[in-house]
Amino acid sequence: MINVEGKSEEEAKNELSSKGLVVNVVYENNNSKPEGTVLKQSITNGTTVNKGDTVTITICSGKTTISVSNVVGKTKNEAQNILTKQGFKVTVSEIYSEDVENGRVISQSPESGSSLIHGSIVTINVSKGKEPIGVEDVTGQSKTNAQNILTRQGFKVSVKEEYSETVANGRVISQSPAKGETLYKGDTVTITVSKGKSPVNVSNVVGKTQTDAENILKNQGFTVKVKESYSDTVAKGKVISQSPVSNASAYKGDIVTITVSKGKATIIVTGVTLTKTEATIT
């Protein structure tokens, strides 16, 4: 009996037929031998046979196919162990995910249930967790622009308002977290928006001396303008009136005008100076 193991199916059939033997062929998967070659023969080499005897040869029909297991949601190590035991090679790709926990499988290729031959490659995509994002600087921006910038980054925006002596009304004074700090999509950035300068109720300085009135108003942040006028009722050097009036709302830096008494008006009668009261003729 001749040896046909390792030969192609056609070669084996021709050789055995030429010896007068009847050839029976069966097929079997094999992961190590080339497809279409003889894996084994039913009558071993060297055995005496007669013409007309039947010899069965087993032909390799290709590698064994395996149904790929589902490893989505498994840890990276668990997934690698499962697939390796099935006979696959595993490649790992790591990507950010907003939904899948760090270190767990997001997806696999081919999908579970696919039939692959032994030794094929299965790729698993493993989560690196949420993608960190550096917060953009929105200070000085209008409220609307700041909200749009941060929303496009994937953040929620909380708005606070407060008065500011230096930042224009409607512009962002500050933000928290600050520029460059790391957050994740869905996190909240708080912006503080200016309401403009804080209004101040103007103090009542009517009846005060000029010096006292100026000090009071300057301490409130106002610029003081002084006018003078005669008064029959208000002593010289004291405030007759003010504009804006007391308790009116104004802003630091605004002008408050005070009118200060020059005392009673004087009248000159034939070279003699009299006060208005002294010049009264009865």
Side-chain angles (χ1 to χ4, degrees):
M1 177 65 192
I2 59 175
N3 181 25
V4 294
E5 289 183 9
K7 297 182 181 294
S8 69
E9 180 179 354
E10 185 177 355
E11 288 176 331
K13 284 180 179 178
N14 290 338
E15 287 190 25
L16 293 171
S17 296
S18 69
K19 300 297 182 183
L21 300 172
V22 176
V23 182
N24 179 48
V25 179
V26 295
Y27 295 92
E28 182 179 291
N29 293 119
N30 188 282
N31 295 324
S32 60
K33 301 294 182 180
E35 185 176 354
T37 58
V38 178
L39 297 174
K40 57 187 175 182
Q41 58 193 65
S42 60
I43 302 175
T44 58
N45 182 33
T47 302
T48 301
V49 293
N50 299 310
K51 286 185 177 182
D53 285 350
T54 297
V55 179
T56 299
I57 57 174
T58 301
I59 306 298
C60 177
S61 60
K63 294 186 177 181
T64 304
T65 58
I66 307 164
S67 179
V68 181
S69 292
N70 182 12
V71 293
V72 173
K74 303 287 187 185
T75 66
K76 181 175 80 170
N77 288 341
E78 288 172 340
Q80 286 177 308
N81 288 338
I82 290 168
L83 295 170
T84 300
K85 285 178 181 178
Q86 283 194 287
F88 300 125
K89 296 176 182 177
V90 183
T91 60
V92 178
S93 176
E94 294 188 332
I95 57 177
Y96 292 111
S97 172
E98 299 303 311
D99 308 308
V100 179
E101 179 187 347
N102 184 24
R104 293 197 174 266
V105 177
I106 302 168
S107 61
Q108 63 185 81
S109 179
E111 296 180 349
S112 62
S114 301
S115 291
L116 296 180
I117 60 174
H118 187 276
S120 295
I121 295 174
V122 177
T123 300
I124 57 173
N125 294 317
V126 178
S127 172
K128 294 198 290 183
K130 291 184 177 182
E131 181 178 5
I133 305 170
V135 181
E136 289 195 30
D137 182 11
V138 295
T139 55
Q141 297 282 346
S142 69
K143 173 184 170 183
T144 300
N145 284 349
Q147 287 176 308
N148 289 340
I149 290 168
L150 295 170
T151 300
R152 282 197 298 268
Q153 284 197 283
F155 302 129
K156 296 176 183 176
V157 183
S158 175
V159 179
K160 293 167 60 178
E161 294 184 330
E162 65 179 43
Y163 293 110
S164 172
E165 300 304 312
T166 56
V167 179
N169 184 25
R171 297 276 171 180
V172 177
I173 302 168
S174 62
Q175 65 185 78
S176 179
K179 170 189 173 182
E181 292 192 35
T182 299
L183 291 181
Y184 300 95
K185 284 185 178 179
D187 286 349
T188 298
V189 177
T190 299
I191 58 174
T192 301
V193 178
S194 172
K195 295 197 292 181
K197 293 181 179 181
S198 174
V200 180
N201 289 334
V202 181
S203 292
N204 182 10
V205 293
V206 173
K208 302 287 186 184
T209 65
Q210 179 181 337
T211 300
D212 287 346
E214 286 187 278
N215 288 338
I216 290 169
L217 295 170
K218 286 178 180 178
N219 286 338
Q220 286 192 285
F222 300 124
T223 299
V224 182
K225 182 177 180 181
V226 179
K227 290 183 177 181
E228 291 184 323
S229 178
Y230 290 109
S231 174
D232 293 335
T233 56
V234 178
K236 183 179 179 180
K238 293 200 173 181
V239 178
I240 302 168
S241 63
Q242 64 185 78
S243 178
V245 297
S246 63
N247 290 321
S249 289
Y251 298 96
K252 288 183 179 180
D254 285 356
I255 295 173
V256 177
T257 301
I258 59 173
T259 301
V260 179
S261 174
K262 295 198 292 180
K264 295 179 180 181
T266 57
I267 301 172
I268 299 175
V269 181
T270 62
V272 179
T273 301
L274 301 173
T275 67
K276 190 175 180 181
T277 303
E278 291 171 332
T280 301
I281 299 174
T282 58

Tab-separated table of all heavy atoms in Angstrom, residues 216-249:
chain	number	residue	atom	x	y	z
A	216	ILE	N	-19.251	113.701	52.165
A	216	ILE	CA	-20.275	112.645	52.190
A	216	ILE	C	-20.490	112.091	50.783
A	216	ILE	O	-20.510	110.867	50.565
A	216	ILE	CB	-21.599	113.188	52.770
A	216	ILE	CG1	-21.465	113.459	54.265
A	216	ILE	CG2	-22.738	112.197	52.517
A	216	ILE	CD1	-22.628	114.247	54.864
A	217	LEU	N	-20.652	112.976	49.824
A	217	LEU	CA	-20.959	112.544	48.453
A	217	LEU	C	-19.764	111.868	47.780
A	217	LEU	O	-19.914	110.879	47.054
A	217	LEU	CB	-21.443	113.732	47.627
A	217	LEU	CG	-22.773	114.333	48.088
A	217	LEU	CD1	-23.058	115.643	47.365
A	217	LEU	CD2	-23.928	113.340	47.878
A	218	LYS	N	-18.566	112.387	48.036
A	218	LYS	CA	-17.371	111.756	47.462
A	218	LYS	C	-17.146	110.364	48.038
A	218	LYS	O	-16.709	109.446	47.331
A	218	LYS	CB	-16.142	112.634	47.712
A	218	LYS	CG	-16.116	113.875	46.827
A	218	LYS	CD	-14.918	114.757	47.129
A	218	LYS	CE	-14.893	116.005	46.250
A	218	LYS	NZ	-13.755	116.888	46.556
A	219	ASN	N	-17.446	110.212	49.335
A	219	ASN	CA	-17.324	108.886	49.954
A	219	ASN	C	-18.304	107.880	49.342
A	219	ASN	O	-18.068	106.669	49.378
A	219	ASN	CB	-17.547	108.970	51.465
A	219	ASN	CG	-16.372	109.582	52.198
A	219	ASN	OD1	-15.247	109.579	51.689
A	219	ASN	ND2	-16.615	110.148	53.384
A	220	GLN	N	-19.410	108.395	48.786
A	220	GLN	CA	-20.357	107.509	48.097
A	220	GLN	C	-19.918	107.196	46.665
A	220	GLN	O	-20.539	106.381	45.992
A	220	GLN	CB	-21.751	108.151	48.060
A	220	GLN	CG	-22.487	108.129	49.385
A	220	GLN	CD	-23.950	108.495	49.216
A	220	GLN	OE1	-24.292	109.661	49.019
A	220	GLN	NE2	-24.806	107.483	49.282
A	221	GLY	N	-18.844	107.850	46.233
A	221	GLY	CA	-18.320	107.578	44.895
A	221	GLY	C	-18.742	108.577	43.852
A	221	GLY	O	-18.475	108.376	42.650
A	222	PHE	N	-19.419	109.637	44.255
A	222	PHE	CA	-19.903	110.624	43.290
A	222	PHE	C	-18.859	111.719	43.035
A	222	PHE	O	-17.984	111.985	43.867
A	222	PHE	CB	-21.197	111.285	43.780
A	222	PHE	CG	-22.319	110.308	43.999
A	222	PHE	CD1	-22.965	110.231	45.234
A	222	PHE	CD2	-22.736	109.468	42.979
A	222	PHE	CE1	-24.001	109.347	45.442
A	222	PHE	CE2	-23.778	108.582	43.184
A	222	PHE	CZ	-24.412	108.508	44.417
A	223	THR	N	-19.011	112.341	41.875
A	223	THR	CA	-18.264	113.564	41.580
A	223	THR	C	-19.144	114.745	41.988
A	223	THR	O	-20.343	114.775	41.654
A	223	THR	CB	-17.941	113.640	40.073
A	223	THR	OG1	-17.142	112.515	39.711
A	223	THR	CG2	-17.196	114.932	39.744
A	224	VAL	N	-18.581	115.699	42.692
A	224	VAL	CA	-19.388	116.802	43.236
A	224	VAL	C	-19.120	118.092	42.455
A	224	VAL	O	-17.971	118.492	42.259
A	224	VAL	CB	-19.093	117.029	44.729
A	224	VAL	CG1	-19.982	118.154	45.273
A	224	VAL	CG2	-19.311	115.741	45.521
A	225	LYS	N	-20.203	118.698	42.012
A	225	LYS	CA	-20.144	120.016	41.361
A	225	LYS	C	-20.813	121.034	42.283
A	225	LYS	O	-21.902	120.784	42.796
A	225	LYS	CB	-20.861	119.963	40.014
A	225	LYS	CG	-20.820	121.261	39.242
A	225	LYS	CD	-21.505	121.105	37.885
A	225	LYS	CE	-21.476	122.410	37.104
A	225	LYS	NZ	-22.153	122.294	35.787
A	226	VAL	N	-20.163	122.169	42.478
A	226	VAL	CA	-20.665	123.172	43.434
A	226	VAL	C	-21.133	124.424	42.688
A	226	VAL	O	-20.413	124.965	41.840
A	226	VAL	CB	-19.585	123.552	44.462
A	226	VAL	CG1	-20.124	124.608	45.425
A	226	VAL	CG2	-19.116	122.304	45.219
A	227	LYS	N	-22.339	124.855	43.030
A	227	LYS	CA	-22.863	126.156	42.586
A	227	LYS	C	-23.095	127.009	43.827
A	227	LYS	O	-23.279	126.484	44.929
A	227	LYS	CB	-24.189	125.970	41.834
A	227	LYS	CG	-24.076	125.320	40.478
A	227	LYS	CD	-25.456	125.265	39.811
A	227	LYS	CE	-25.364	124.696	38.413
A	227	LYS	NZ	-26.708	124.680	37.768
A	228	GLU	N	-23.103	128.281	43.649
A	228	GLU	CA	-23.376	129.188	44.769
A	228	GLU	C	-24.569	130.077	44.436
A	228	GLU	O	-24.800	130.453	43.287
A	228	GLU	CB	-22.154	130.051	45.069
A	228	GLU	CG	-20.974	129.262	45.650
A	228	GLU	CD	-19.810	130.137	46.021
A	228	GLU	OE1	-19.547	131.122	45.300
A	228	GLU	OE2	-19.176	129.855	47.049
A	229	SER	N	-25.322	130.425	45.505
A	229	SER	CA	-26.497	131.279	45.314
A	229	SER	C	-26.808	132.000	46.628
A	229	SER	O	-26.549	131.483	47.721
A	229	SER	CB	-27.702	130.433	44.889
A	229	SER	OG	-28.861	131.236	44.734
A	230	TYR	N	-27.322	133.212	46.510
A	230	TYR	CA	-27.752	133.947	47.709
A	230	TYR	C	-28.986	133.273	48.292
A	230	TYR	O	-29.788	132.655	47.572
A	230	TYR	CB	-28.089	135.396	47.361
A	230	TYR	CG	-26.867	136.211	47.003
A	230	TYR	CD1	-26.661	136.609	45.686
A	230	TYR	CD2	-25.959	136.591	47.985
A	230	TYR	CE1	-25.557	137.360	45.346
A	230	TYR	CE2	-24.840	137.333	47.651
A	230	TYR	CZ	-24.635	137.723	46.334
A	230	TYR	OH	-23.543	138.457	46.002
A	231	SER	N	-29.138	133.387	49.622
A	231	SER	CA	-30.307	132.845	50.301
A	231	SER	C	-30.657	133.688	51.507
A	231	SER	O	-29.771	134.058	52.302
A	231	SER	CB	-30.049	131.399	50.738
A	231	SER	OG	-31.129	130.925	51.514
A	232	ASP	N	-31.934	133.988	51.629
A	232	ASP	CA	-32.388	134.741	52.796
A	232	ASP	C	-32.598	133.847	54.004
A	232	ASP	O	-32.730	134.342	55.136
A	232	ASP	CB	-33.703	135.463	52.477
A	232	ASP	CG	-33.508	136.563	51.449
A	232	ASP	OD1	-32.372	137.079	51.354
A	232	ASP	OD2	-34.474	136.883	50.731
A	233	THR	N	-32.633	132.517	53.747
A	233	THR	CA	-32.992	131.605	54.838
A	233	THR	C	-31.871	130.643	55.228
A	233	THR	O	-31.874	130.090	56.331
A	233	THR	CB	-34.221	130.769	54.431
A	233	THR	OG1	-33.924	130.078	53.210
A	233	THR	CG2	-35.441	131.659	54.237
A	234	VAL	N	-30.919	130.396	54.329
A	234	VAL	CA	-29.856	129.418	54.606
A	234	VAL	C	-28.548	130.151	54.852
A	234	VAL	O	-28.148	131.020	54.057
A	234	VAL	CB	-29.691	128.419	53.433
A	234	VAL	CG1	-28.549	127.430	53.728
A	234	VAL	CG2	-30.984	127.682	53.175
A	235	ALA	N	-27.921	129.793	55.940
A	235	ALA	CA	-26.684	130.463	56.326
A	235	ALA	C	-25.604	130.277	55.278
A	235	ALA	O	-25.548	129.257	54.588
A	235	ALA	CB	-26.215	129.937	57.674
A	236	LYS	N	-24.741	131.265	55.193
A	236	LYS	CA	-23.637	131.218	54.242
A	236	LYS	C	-22.780	129.964	54.459
A	236	LYS	O	-22.452	129.591	55.588
A	236	LYS	CB	-22.773	132.466	54.408
A	236	LYS	CG	-21.620	132.556	53.400
A	236	LYS	CD	-20.839	133.837	53.612
A	236	LYS	CE	-19.687	133.909	52.614
A	236	LYS	NZ	-18.890	135.157	52.771
A	237	GLY	N	-22.430	129.314	53.335
A	237	GLY	CA	-21.557	128.124	53.400
A	237	GLY	C	-22.303	126.816	53.562
A	237	GLY	O	-21.694	125.745	53.542
A	238	LYS	N	-23.628	126.892	53.707
A	238	LYS	CA	-24.409	125.664	53.855
A	238	LYS	C	-25.191	125.373	52.571
A	238	LYS	O	-25.465	126.273	51.773
A	238	LYS	CB	-25.338	125.775	55.045
A	238	LYS	CG	-24.569	125.835	56.365
A	238	LYS	CD	-25.411	125.460	57.553
A	238	LYS	CE	-24.561	125.372	58.820
A	238	LYS	NZ	-25.357	124.984	59.980
A	239	VAL	N	-25.539	124.083	52.403
A	239	VAL	CA	-26.173	123.632	51.164
A	239	VAL	C	-27.642	123.999	51.144
A	239	VAL	O	-28.403	123.665	52.060
A	239	VAL	CB	-26.012	122.102	50.971
A	239	VAL	CG1	-26.726	121.638	49.704
A	239	VAL	CG2	-24.527	121.734	50.913
A	240	ILE	N	-28.048	124.682	50.068
A	240	ILE	CA	-29.446	125.065	49.892
A	240	ILE	C	-30.231	123.922	49.258
A	240	ILE	O	-31.339	123.579	49.689
A	240	ILE	CB	-29.551	126.310	48.978
A	240	ILE	CG1	-28.755	127.475	49.563
A	240	ILE	CG2	-31.003	126.690	48.730
A	240	ILE	CD1	-28.565	128.617	48.586
A	241	SER	N	-29.639	123.310	48.222
A	241	SER	CA	-30.330	122.226	47.491
A	241	SER	C	-29.302	121.316	46.829
A	241	SER	O	-28.105	121.625	46.790
A	241	SER	CB	-31.269	122.809	46.429
A	241	SER	OG	-30.517	123.534	45.461
A	242	GLN	N	-29.783	120.193	46.294
A	242	GLN	CA	-28.900	119.243	45.621
A	242	GLN	C	-29.647	118.610	44.443
A	242	GLN	O	-30.867	118.532	44.429
A	242	GLN	CB	-28.443	118.135	46.576
A	242	GLN	CG	-29.576	117.251	47.079
A	242	GLN	CD	-29.101	116.241	48.120
A	242	GLN	OE1	-28.901	116.619	49.276
A	242	GLN	NE2	-28.926	114.997	47.718
A	243	SER	N	-28.865	118.148	43.454
A	243	SER	CA	-29.429	117.472	42.289
A	243	SER	C	-28.442	116.392	41.827
A	243	SER	O	-27.279	116.711	41.544
A	243	SER	CB	-29.684	118.459	41.149
A	243	SER	OG	-30.192	117.777	40.022
A	244	PRO	N	-28.863	115.106	41.795
A	244	PRO	CA	-30.189	114.582	42.124
A	244	PRO	C	-30.546	114.803	43.597
A	244	PRO	O	-29.672	114.979	44.440
A	244	PRO	CB	-30.062	113.087	41.817
A	244	PRO	CG	-28.858	112.938	40.955
A	244	PRO	CD	-27.943	114.025	41.359
A	245	VAL	N	-31.843	114.721	43.882
A	245	VAL	CA	-32.311	114.921	45.249
A	245	VAL	C	-31.930	113.728	46.108
A	245	VAL	O	-31.534	112.676	45.606
A	245	VAL	CB	-33.836	115.135	45.271
A	245	VAL	CG1	-34.225	116.394	44.508
A	245	VAL	CG2	-34.558	113.907	44.710
A	246	SER	N	-32.064	113.891	47.421
A	246	SER	CA	-31.714	112.793	48.324
A	246	SER	C	-32.578	111.560	48.041
A	246	SER	O	-33.748	111.669	47.672
A	246	SER	CB	-31.896	113.228	49.774
A	246	SER	OG	-33.259	113.542	50.028
A	247	ASN	N	-31.949	110.379	48.212
A	247	ASN	CA	-32.561	109.058	48.015
A	247	ASN	C	-32.810	108.699	46.545
A	247	ASN	O	-33.315	107.618	46.244
A	247	ASN	CB	-33.871	108.903	48.796
A	247	ASN	CG	-33.623	108.825	50.285
A	247	ASN	OD1	-32.654	108.198	50.722
A	247	ASN	ND2	-34.460	109.486	51.071
A	248	ALA	N	-32.456	109.596	45.619
A	248	ALA	CA	-32.526	109.226	44.196
A	248	ALA	C	-31.422	108.205	43.910
A	248	ALA	O	-30.368	108.204	44.549
A	248	ALA	CB	-32.363	110.463	43.328
A	249	SER	N	-31.655	107.328	42.914
A	249	SER	CA	-30.648	106.331	42.533
A	249	SER	C	-29.682	106.922	41.527
A	249	SER	O	-30.095	107.521	40.526
A	249	SER	CB	-31.315	105.094	41.921
A	249	SER	OG	-32.007	104.358	42.904
